[in-house]
Amino acid sequence: TLSLHDALPICLDVVGRAIDAVRLAERHSDAVTGARLRIELAGCARTAGVPLVGAAVLRPVLTSPNVQPAMRADALVQLTGCLTRSVDPGVLDGALAEADRLYDEDRQLDQDTRVVLRALLRSVASGEQRRRGDARAAVDAAREGAELLGGLSRPTADNGQAAALVALRLVHGLLDQGRVDEATVVAAAELRRPVRAPAAQAVGWLAVAMAIRAHLATGAANPALALLRDAARLGKRHRLSSLRAEALTLLSDAHERVGQLAEALDCLRTAQGVRLARARVVYSARTRLVGAFGETTSPEEFVRMLGIPAGRRSVAGRDQSRPTTTAARRPTPTGDVTMVLVDLTTARGDK
């Protein structure tokens, strides 16, 4: 996760216990644990479909004067994710630039940890640029992340998550630009690596992206089937229900295309069961989060917590104070089924 300290993220089905842990930490004045849990819970709120609740969860972290710079940066990244569809893009870019500065200047972190966090931030910036339809900026940001990771003194400092997220963002950006061959090379290098738990979600979505946007799009059914099976297995093994359900649904469609109707029906039934189970978990998590932290429909009160004026230079290396012209913006392909589902701004837990 972007609260990257080699910890696995909170799963939606333990949100209730995480909320109790926050209250306990705050009663015992354990500010660090309380802040870390709040950052994770904000990500859970986004996953549960209540991003403004996530912003409310972050309020004590971002208003405290005694928060470690890297932790404040984590909270800023989460807050930008919670507000991404609600506030001016320049404000979001400024917040991400501020988070990058905080990571870079936090000397409580070792050099490699700072590099990994800044690379993860580039994956976030890439996803945000792609959401706006700017594939070139998305590719630029992802390449910056890859270059940062290439400078690690200890390659093991990245537990696999940062490299997988950067590769995922880069592949989507390249595919948006029609650079299929380059995307295939990047994806193949990442998919060959052993998959560690923190990287499983990004690797699974990378497999889905290549199966749909590269292989099935050109009529290559067999490679697509293999990648979708791998993604479904990863989803099952690591309890990533949205990944598993989507991979199985697409696998059903791929089986149907080649006339394997029994397999198609089996995949579709399993996917529906996974979706129903996840819906129950999401509803429960949403109810607990709203009950604990309240509900709001206005993002304005949270913009002040960003404390960043519009027009700051973005981590993708562009001056965001200048509006992007319509001609420069390339809309994301409408057929990209992974556009929203692959929002890994914070790779929180899944059921």
Side-chain angles (χ1 to χ4, degrees), residues 308-345:
I308 307 295
R312 286 287 297 274
R313 191 168 181 82
S314 78
V315 294
R318 291 197 182 187
D319 185 355
Q320 298 300 327
S321 61
R322 293 177 296 182
T324 305
T325 64
T326 303
R329 292 173 64 92
R330 293 189 58 182
T332 301
T334 55
D336 176 8
V337 298
T338 61
M339 173 67 184
V340 176
L341 293 173
V342 182
D343 181 7
L344 295 175
T345 303

Side-chain angles (χ1 to χ4, degrees), residues 129-136 138 172-178 213 324-336 339:
Q129 294 295 344
R130 182 168 181 261
R131 185 186 67 81
R132 299 173 195 172
D134 193 341
R136 184 164 68 88
H172 271 301
L174 291 170
L175 289 173
D176 289 347
Q177 293 181 315
R213 302 189 66 189
T324 305
T325 64
T326 303
R329 292 173 64 92
R330 293 189 58 182
T332 301
T334 55
D336 176 8
M339 173 67 184

Side-chain angles (χ1 to χ4, degrees), residues 204-252:
W205 284 117
L206 180 58
V208 169
M210 290 305 296
I212 300 304
R213 302 189 66 189
H215 297 305
L216 280 183
T218 59
N222 288 335
L225 285 167
L227 285 172
L228 291 171
R229 288 190 192 101
D230 288 344
R233 280 194 290 266
L234 277 175
K236 182 177 182 180
R237 183 182 310 133
H238 296 282
R239 302 177 66 219
L240 302 168
S241 59
S242 57
L243 170 62
R244 187 183 178 207
E246 190 66 19
L248 285 168
T249 301
L250 295 168
L251 188 57
S252 173

